[in-house]
Amino acid sequence: MTPSETPTSSDSSCDSGSSCDSGSDSGSGSGSAPAPTAGRAAPAAASPGLDLHLILPAHGARRTALAQALREAVRSGRLAGGTRLPPYRALAADLGVARNVVAHAYGELVAEGWFTARQGSGTRVAEGLARAHANAAAPARPGPERPASARPAPASATPPRPGLDLDFDLDLTQGKPDAAAFPRTAWAAATRRALAAAPAEAFGPQGPHGRPELRRALAEYLARARGVRTTPARIVVCSGFANALRLLASVRPRDWAVEEYGLPFHHSLLAAAGVRPHLLPVDGGGARTEALAGDAGRRARTALLTPAHQFPLGGPMLAARRMAAVEWARASSGRLLVEDDYDGEFRYDRKPVGALQGLAPGQVAYAGSVSKSLSPALRLGWLVLPDDALVEQVLTAKGERESWASAVDQLTLAEFLDSGAYDRHVRRMRRNYHDRRDRLVAALATTAPAGASVTGISAGLHAVVELPPGTESAALAEARAAGLALDGLSGYRHPGADGPVREGLVVGYAALPDRAFDRALPLLVRAVRRAARPRRPVPAGPVPPATP
């Protein structure tokens, strides 16, 4: 959206009514992005602060629309009392509006009593405001949690794990964040604070629900940043998305609708759990959920989707397809949508796409983890479930004790979220990954052959380079010969799919250090160019006689 106003001349100074260092990554208080490397275009500006999911209408007064969206976020409970708001500059950059639009909206809500502003502590949501929760967000009678001993542990099948090939110099495989950028100092500080504040029972055996401190922090963060509507009682802490998927597969009916392109590990996991897949076609607009009106939808009771950023093709699910999925789930009792929000924090084009769960909290099981945003080594994820009955089923499937997710790591993540350190880290990495993607796209745009292009939206930790038919295997061979580790797109196609095969390369751009990434880019482009060269035909000649 294009703002009608221009930023005020005071943009270089501290925002009025907000702390100069509110949400700053560097702690310097400037809130400015790092200077670009010489000879490289600077990435789009992204100011530090908290992530705040707001959707403004395409037309009408920006100031009025923003004030109304903020009021609704407070009314619905997505912004809890005491929450610090992003600085003017940060929110204006995120929404694509002028800074004075945010300043006037904040001022209006301060005057009305929704917000409070104090020099040095920023603008915050006023305490004690009435919260109008959505119908499906809270159970009618929360009641006490069941004791862990009341849940027997089930047997579960473990799918085979794909092997890792470590023989390549430059790792461009998808799904890996920048391990060197893990916020060690901030995480260690959060651990110290969490341990100092933890109750004694946090160091005893833990039940399967997850630490209440983390479930509360997640409910607040997901509401604010992803538009998720839930309560802590409806969140189950898991050891990553794969664990969440296993749990759901163990308690749901066996017929699932799944996207025809997805992670092979998830295909194997569901197959090991006895799931019967019914495939949904995918294109640039995400999964074609209109197919749920056909045979796949009539048989399936569960649909696994990646609405924000289809994996691996990279398109966001079109609004009409989102509604088709929700209508399918609502049309028959017992149907469930499973939303894999695997990299929802990493969208680079400022167009906010909230979680599908926010449209239908009573029909969607929302799953996420810190594997992309922080590190897969933490083994922390979560399920946001639509009703108490499914919560109980999942807790029973987990067993009496939490087997994988460390209580100390759970307490630390809760503190990391509450302190704003998580938001600051995500914003810093968003700038870095955005820059990486832009460099990849620019390199291929200028030198790649006809028919090779980067598809999908500007988001996530990987990109798909679609290739002309018949060139994927040659491109992979050229890349691997040059020391690049990466995957072909055809390997992500479900083995039961019967549609045409799409060819390409799935390129992860997050894991390598900057210098190694600079070295990998020309090698990747050369591999694509060589694979696309016409092959010289072998001249026909006499066929030698067969040896007797």
Side-chain angles (χ1 to χ4, degrees):
M1 61 191 77
T2 304
S4 56
E5 302 91 339
T6 57
T8 62
S9 59
S10 62
D11 197 36
S12 61
S13 61
C14 295
D15 291 341
S16 174
S18 66
S19 171
C20 292
D21 63 351
S22 174
S24 172
D25 288 337
S26 64
S28 65
S30 66
S32 60
T37 304
R40 184 182 303 153
S47 302
L50 297 178
D51 278 353
L52 184 57
H53 174 69
L54 297 171
I55 298 180
L56 305 185
H59 305 288
R62 303 289 85 199
R63 186 184 311 167
T64 302
L66 176 57
Q68 183 57 35
L70 289 167
R71 288 189 197 96
E72 181 55 34
V74 177
R75 285 195 194 100
S76 67
R78 293 200 299 113
L79 283 177
T83 300
R84 184 168 62 183
L85 279 301
Y88 304 157
R89 189 181 300 111
L91 188 57
D94 285 349
L95 297 177
V97 300
R99 177 178 171 272
N100 58 5
V101 170
V102 180
H104 283 292
Y106 277 18
E108 183 176 333
L109 270 68
V110 168
E112 294 175 0
W114 294 91
F115 294 168
T116 61
R118 184 178 304 168
Q119 187 65 34
S121 64
T123 303
R124 296 177 180 269
V125 178
E127 298 280 2
L129 295 176
R131 297 169 62 179
H133 290 285
N135 291 338
R141 284 177 31 180
E145 295 178 10
R146 289 175 55 192
S149 60
R151 306 183 184 101
S156 61
T158 302
R161 294 179 58 192
L164 297 176
D165 192 338
L166 303 177
D167 293 334
F168 297 101
D169 294 329
L170 300 169
D171 186 1
L172 294 178
T173 52
Q174 64 79 32
K176 300 175 183 177
D178 184 352
F182 182 81
R184 301 184 192 204
T185 301
W187 185 262
T191 301
R192 289 193 296 271
R193 294 192 300 269
L195 290 176
E201 54 86 16
F203 303 100
Q206 300 295 304
H209 208 153
R211 290 298 307 172
E213 299 90 341
L214 178 56
R215 290 187 283 114
R216 174 201 50 76
L218 283 171
E220 293 175 1
Y221 170 77
L222 294 173
R224 168 172 57 80
R226 300 295 298 129
V228 170
R229 295 189 284 161
T230 191
T231 62
R234 296 273 178 86
I235 296 177
V236 177
V237 176
C238 309
S239 60
F241 178 77
N243 178 226
L245 191 59
R246 279 194 190 96
L247 290 168
L248 288 174
S250 72
V251 301
R252 293 290 301 166
R254 293 295 179 236
D255 288 283
W256 286 47
V258 299
E259 296 167 344
E260 67 176 358
Y261 276 80
L263 193 64
F265 176 56
H266 294 166
H267 298 160
S268 301
L269 187 154
L270 292 175
V275 165
R276 291 183 290 267
H278 304 280
L279 302 183
L280 299 176
V282 295
D283 58 22
R288 295 175 54 187
T289 55
E290 63 270 21
L292 290 170
D295 186 61
R298 285 190 293 271
R299 295 185 180 184
R301 305 301 295 165
T302 307
L304 173 61
L305 304 171
T306 53
H309 189 215
Q310 199 283 325
F311 184 86
L313 297 179
M317 187 179 289
L318 298 175
R321 294 181 181 181
R322 286 177 162 236
M323 288 310 302
V326 169
E327 289 167 3
W328 170 82
R330 288 173 173 166
S332 178
S333 176
R335 289 178 175 174
L336 180 71
L337 300 172
V338 178
E339 179 175 11
D340 178 3
D341 198 31
Y342 66 100
D343 62 1
E345 290 102 339
F346 295 107
R347 183 80 185 254
Y348 312 132
D349 54 9
R350 294 185 184 173
K351 297 178 181 177
V353 176
L356 181 66
Q357 192 270 359
L359 294 178
Q363 284 75 38
V364 178
Y366 173 92
S369 79
V370 298
S371 294
K372 306 292 188 298
S373 57
L374 281 171
S375 169
L378 293 176
R379 306 307 306 147
L380 285 175
W382 48 85
L383 273 173
V384 176
L385 299 171
D387 55 59
D388 294 337
L390 189 53
V391 170
E392 288 300 317
Q393 288 178 309
V394 168
L395 294 180
T396 299
K398 284 192 76 175
E400 294 185 10
R401 296 282 184 261
E402 175 56 61
S403 301
W404 302 107
S406 159
V408 173
D409 285 343
Q410 292 184 55
L411 291 168
T412 302
L413 180 56
E415 170 61 25
F416 210 66
L417 287 163
D418 287 341
S419 68
Y422 184 83
D423 288 86
R424 291 192 290 274
H425 174 73
V426 166
R427 282 176 170 262
R428 182 166 58 251
M429 300 317 298
R430 201 180 281 150
R431 289 195 296 269
N432 293 350
Y433 297 155
H434 187 187
D435 177 48
R436 294 278 187 90
R437 180 185 169 88
D438 284 352
R439 288 154 61 190
L440 171 65
V441 172
L444 287 165
T446 55
T447 58
S453 62
V454 177
T455 63
I457 57 173
S458 182
L461 278 64
H462 77 277
V464 170
V465 181
E466 290 215 77
L467 299 174
T471 60
E472 178 183 298
S473 59
L476 281 174
E478 293 281 356
R480 289 167 179 167
L484 302 178
L486 75 169
D487 300 317
L489 177 59
S490 61
Y492 292 85
R493 183 172 179 260
H494 194 283
D498 56 8
V501 178
R502 303 177 69 155
E503 296 195 36
L505 301 176
V506 181
V507 182
Y509 46 75
L512 284 177
D514 260 340
R515 289 184 179 179
F517 187 70
D518 287 338
R519 188 156 54 94
L521 274 182
L523 297 175
L524 175 65
V525 171
R526 186 176 66 179
V528 172
R529 289 181 64 84
R530 285 185 172 181
R533 287 185 307 190
R535 301 293 172 182
R536 180 177 299 176
V538 178
V543 179
T547 303

